[in-house]
Amino acid sequence: MTDRKNGLTYADSGVDIDAGNRLVDLIKPMVRATARAGADAEIGGFGGLFDLKAAGFRDPVLVAATDGVGTKVKIAIETGLHGRIGIDLVAMSVNDLVVQGAEPLFFLDYFACGKLDPEAAAAIVAGVAEGCRESGCALIGGETAEMPGLYKDGDYDLAGFAVGAAERGTLLPRKDIAAGDAVIGLASSGVHSNGFSLVRKIVEQSGLGFAAQAPFSPVMTLGGALLAPTRLYVKSCLRAIRETGAVKGLAHITGGGFTDNIPRVLPKHLGVGIDLANLPVLPVFKWLAAQGGIAELEMLRTFNCGIGMIAIVEPDAVEKVVAVFEDAGEGVAVLGKVIPAEGEDRVVYNGNLDLAL
């Protein structure tokens, strides 16, 4: 076969296969470090394998979740701080698995960009691998797509896919959730990965750059503080479920905040009463509310405000469940209780958020 004179190559179109191969070489040790029972976490094949029997399951129900990190990636791109956005990617999916009582088993990532920078991409995958290790799941594969013309150079987007399992009959929410059950909140680490289109608009209106000192965190830049990764609740929630037997339901506080997410795990005839005075509002949310002039109900429907996970708990086991969560490193607040639903308003707020700076 002869080459055409002056023939075009894939590289001439903007796609660098050699850069992709370099990325694979860079991330192989990171991926290998996520190996667990059921998966060896080796990449390079056409598909990833997982052995449920080797993981110890007898009669499992599989649970799957997928998510991204939204426009939080814009802050990572603009600041060049790529190292922790991969943790967000994992957290958004595995936290959704654990609310159903499932143990995360494996994770796959999708990374799309305009021009592949192997070192920046490797930093992102390092965060993905860290999130997988902290959640006990194996990173068994992924896809890197270099698409010039669709993304500008330097731009990228992420998606993640997680699969977990629970033994049949142990899935959450339980069917015995009832009025009087306690509502417990687990502290968040910051904004997590929702509401960043509003966050970025507020930052723009403030006139501050991401390199400026964060008004709510003097030892950090604004960009660095806003990029605090989503908290991973997997190990603490699984521990509370298994050790107490008293967790009836969990709700991951993502887009839609408290207002939309808590009802997703409740029977139609039930709601919750939340005492806002017991909700520990983080400084970042106080700044966002003040800077953006955001109404309290809008805050509660857009952001986690300081609580990233809700647990519905048997009322006589609150102290035991709180003790397990705290021993697992969680900040815990007892926020209210399950109540009969009152029309369409299934989350009833009592008092006010402490939004004073």
Side-chain angles (χ1 to χ4, degrees):
M1 181 180 293
T2 58
D3 292 334
R4 289 188 177 184
K5 186 176 181 181
N6 298 323
L8 290 172
T9 66
Y10 208 4
D12 292 329
S13 71
V15 179
D16 189 343
I17 294 175
D18 291 333
N21 291 335
R22 171 165 168 71
L23 173 60
V24 172
D25 289 338
L26 287 171
I27 66 176
K28 276 186 176 180
M30 307 172 194
V31 174
R32 197 171 293 127
T34 70
R36 55 153 290 162
D40 59 13
E42 290 290 340
I43 58 171
F46 286 95
L49 305 177
F50 193 92
D51 185 342
L52 282 166
K53 191 173 183 179
F57 287 91
R58 299 181 302 278
D59 185 20
V61 176
L62 293 179
V63 182
T66 183
D67 211 334
V69 296
T71 59
K72 190 173 185 176
V73 296
K74 290 289 289 181
I75 300 178
I77 291 166
E78 291 182 30
T79 61
L81 301 173
H82 309 291
R84 298 187 291 176
I85 200 79
I87 299 175
D88 288 289
L89 186 65
V90 175
M92 293 305 291
S93 286
V94 297
N95 285 344
D96 281 354
L97 293 184
V98 79
V99 301
Q100 295 172 91
E103 173 188 340
L105 303 176
F106 60 86
F107 188 85
L108 299 99
D109 65 329
Y110 175 79
F111 174 84
C113 62
K115 182 175 179 57
L116 182 60
D117 178 343
E119 282 68 30
I124 294 166
V125 176
V128 172
E130 182 179 346
C132 286
R133 288 195 305 273
E134 290 187 23
S135 304
C137 65
L139 178 57
I140 65 171
E143 171 68 8
T144 301
E146 192 174 20
M147 296 186 282
L150 185 58
Y151 295 91
K152 295 185 296 183
D153 286 359
D155 279 355
Y156 62 81
D157 197 11
L158 303 168
F161 312 86
V163 173
E167 294 291 355
R168 195 175 305 276
T170 66
L171 289 170
L172 297 181
R174 282 168 31 182
K175 294 181 180 180
D176 62 342
I177 294 176
D181 287 339
V183 178
I184 292 174
L186 305 184
S188 70
S189 55
V191 184
H192 285 184
S193 298
N194 297 100
F196 270 89
S197 293
L198 179 55
V199 169
R200 289 169 45 248
K201 188 172 186 65
I202 292 170
V203 170
E204 181 182 354
Q205 291 181 350
S206 76
L208 295 174
F210 290 121
Q213 176 182 299
F216 51 86
S217 181
V219 298
M220 301 186 71
T221 64
L222 180 57
L226 291 173
L227 286 171
T230 304
R231 187 163 181 83
L232 292 152
Y233 297 103
V234 170
K235 290 186 176 179
S236 62
C237 286
L238 287 176
R239 182 175 166 187
I241 292 167
R242 292 166 178 171
E243 291 187 12
T244 71
V247 177
K248 293 186 175 184
L250 295 165
H252 186 198
I253 306 303
T254 56
F258 297 86
T259 306
D260 291 348
N261 282 296
I262 299 176
R264 294 169 67 182
V265 301
L266 297 174
K268 297 293 185 183
H269 66 286
L270 295 176
V272 294
I274 301 293
D275 186 348
L276 295 179
N278 291 344
L279 201 157
V281 181
L282 294 176
V284 60
F285 297 110
K286 297 181 180 185
W287 181 78
L288 289 169
Q291 190 67 45
I294 307 172
E296 183 178 76
L297 288 177
E298 184 70 13
M299 290 292 295
L300 289 162
R301 199 181 182 192
T302 305
F303 299 117
N304 68 65
C305 296
I307 294 292
M309 184 70 76
I310 291 289
I312 310 296
V313 176
E314 294 174 4
D316 59 353
V318 171
E319 289 186 5
K320 178 168 64 173
V321 174
V322 168
V324 171
F325 275 129
E326 289 181 338
D327 190 60
E330 302 291 357
V332 185
V334 179
L335 299 177
K337 63 182 180 179
V338 176
I339 60 175
E342 300 177 5
E344 295 183 0
D345 297 324
R346 296 179 64 200
V347 180
V348 178
Y349 299 110
N350 304 305
N352 296 101
L353 290 173
D354 177 11
L355 294 174
L357 289 169

